Amino acid sequence: MEALDGNAIGGALLAVFGAEMTAWMGTCAHCGARGPVAEACVYLRAPGIVARCRSCDSMLMVLVEIRGLTCVDLRGLAALDPPT
């Protein structure tokens, strides 16, 4: 499966959070790497949408649609901050 960059989930994040989030800064809960969401490795064909850390490949976030409701798991993020 080919990885895309975090811009591939911009529309899904906008739909869920109501804001453009690809420029937001995420911090990996596993390795502490910090960078914009746009730099995450994204897989669209997993069970849902999976974003992984570019440094350690740990899962940062998962978005899954169930019966028309999008469920979001952000456990892999220690922080998610808006751009300054």
Side-chain angles (χ1 to χ4, degrees):
M1 186 178 326
E2 186 175 330
L4 303 172
D5 69 26
N7 290 308
I9 60 171
L13 294 174
L14 178 64
V16 171
F17 294 106
E20 162 54 46
M21 300 196 59
T22 57
W24 284 48
M25 298 297 288
T27 304
C28 177
H30 184 260
C31 74
R34 185 165 166 79
V37 170
E39 291 182 2
C41 295
V42 173
Y43 299 90
L44 299 177
R45 294 190 181 157
I49 299 169
V50 176
R52 293 188 167 275
C53 176
R54 188 166 292 282
S55 296
C56 72
D57 203 41
S58 291
M59 186 177 62
L60 297 174
M61 62 179 86
V62 178
L63 291 86
V64 179
E65 189 171 325
I66 302 170
R67 295 185 206 120
L69 178 68
T70 302
C71 300
V72 181
D73 180 351
L74 301 175
R75 276 184 280 194
L77 289 169
L80 184 59
D81 303 308
T84 54

